[in-house]
Amino acid sequence: MTAIPRAFARLTLDFLLPLRCVSCTSTVGTPDSLCPDCWQKMSFMEKPWCERLGTPFSYDVGEGAWSPQAIASPPIFDRLRSVAFYDGPARDLVVALKFFRRRELARPMGLWMCRTGSEILREDSLIVPVPLHWMRLLSRRFNQSADLARVIARECGGQFEPGLLKRRKKTRRQVGLSAKARQKNVRSAFCIDPERIGQIQGRHVVLIDDVITTGSTIAVCSKTLLSAGAASVDVLTFAFADTSNRSGSASPDEP
Ligand SMILES: [Zn+2]
């Protein structure tokens, strides 16, 4: 098709099927994008940030600095990177993907995660989604974290490994539970597929989830991967819920 008919076809298509903002119903000029209003409402996590937790600093304290939270309670994983705080359109996108099955959102969300996680994603990384229990997978029919991980591996390199980390017991929702109850809830909840344990030895793992809330699940997944022989674990999530009682630490009583 030559340029003029192609442009005409595009105009016709835009008229019939206008491109929509991925978060609201406003029309936008480019596919898989946010409208200016939603863009403004996104609380992006940007540099300067804590080297360990990816939480922004209000002023630049130099490359590699740790936040007081990371110093007080160092996470068991190496680095966490998240695209945005879990509010406004970022929260709407997480909810739409997970509960309203808008699986087409995994692509734009995954691409944003690629950009935010560029420092932690490597060609030889194992890209491992936080697994769902099979009963929840049966009712939801898909794992939103696996959808994101698939996009990230395809677009940024790395090896998509959806079956390596398994969930062996169904856990209650973590929100609202005390720190002790959360640890009890997720203890021994995850394991590595015994037939594939050799694949993880000495490898760099990037653990993928849609949102980090309390941090308990991510901490236990990281510990499971490291205990099985992973050389290092970094974490990449789309959203970051700013909770004061996060538990991503490697303290002795961590499950
Ligand atoms: Zn919008």
Side-chain angles (χ1 to χ4, degrees):
M1 207 187 287
T2 60
I4 291 173
R6 193 184 296 129
F8 179 73
R10 176 65 198 269
L11 271 174
T12 312
L13 201 65
D14 284 356
F15 178 73
L16 294 172
L17 289 169
L19 296 169
R20 300 285 177 191
C21 164
V22 293
S23 180
C24 71
T25 54
S26 303
T27 53
V28 288
T30 43
D32 294 344
S33 62
L34 286 168
C35 68
D37 194 36
C38 288
W39 184 267
Q40 275 220 320
K41 289 181 194 156
M42 283 280 281
S43 307
F44 286 107
M45 296 179 75
E46 288 168 331
K47 284 186 174 181
W49 57 31
C50 166
E51 172 64 15
R52 298 297 301 274
L53 299 174
T55 44
F57 291 130
S58 48
Y59 58 94
D60 198 349
V61 287
E63 199 74 16
W66 291 24
S67 60
Q69 191 186 18
I71 294 166
S73 182
I76 191 167
F77 48 81
D78 281 355
R79 292 166 294 181
L80 166 67
R81 296 292 181 262
S82 310
V83 174
F85 284 102
Y86 187 53
D87 57 21
R91 188 189 190 114
D92 295 343
L93 289 169
V94 167
V95 169
L97 171 63
K98 183 155 46 185
F99 299 115
F100 292 93
R101 298 196 176 95
R102 285 191 54 198
R103 296 181 71 177
E104 77 280 6
L105 292 175
R107 186 177 147 75
M109 292 166 75
L111 290 176
W112 276 321
M113 290 167 77
C114 284
R115 199 168 51 205
T116 305
S118 60
E119 289 172 347
I120 60 174
L121 290 162
R122 304 188 332 215
E123 272 299 316
D124 63 345
S125 304
L126 299 179
I127 311 294
V128 176
V130 170
L132 283 183
H133 187 266
W134 67 267
M135 281 174 69
R136 195 158 284 166
L137 191 60
L138 213 61
S139 63
R140 196 177 291 163
R141 299 205 291 267
F142 75 104
N143 175 0
Q144 73 284 352
S145 301
D147 276 17
L148 294 169
R150 189 181 296 112
V151 171
I152 292 163
R154 194 170 54 216
E155 301 291 337
C156 317
Q159 204 176 315
F160 176 48
E161 289 290 352
L164 201 61
L165 184 64
K166 291 184 172 299
R167 195 184 281 256
R168 60 179 163 204
K169 72 175 185 184
K170 197 160 175 271
T171 48
R172 293 164 59 201
R173 278 176 60 83
Q174 295 286 84
V175 177
L177 299 180
S178 68
K180 202 165 182 179
R182 282 201 303 269
Q183 290 180 5
K184 189 163 179 264
N185 192 28
V186 293
R187 191 173 290 140
S188 311
F190 298 91
C191 64
I192 304 293
D193 180 348
E195 290 182 10
R196 302 171 65 194
I197 206 146
Q199 291 178 20
I200 205 169
Q201 304 301 311
R203 299 293 298 270
H204 170 244
V205 176
V206 180
L207 192 58
I208 306 290
D209 211 353
D210 55 346
V211 55
I212 180 165
T213 48
T214 66
S216 300
T217 301
I218 292 292
V220 178
C221 287
S222 303
K223 186 167 184 177
T224 305
L225 290 158
L226 290 165
S227 303
S232 56
V233 176
D234 287 320
V235 181
L236 181 56
T237 70
F238 179 75
F240 177 99
D242 199 5
T243 59
S244 53
N245 56 352
R246 187 180 306 283
S247 73
S249 74
S251 58
D253 61 347
E254 188 69 47

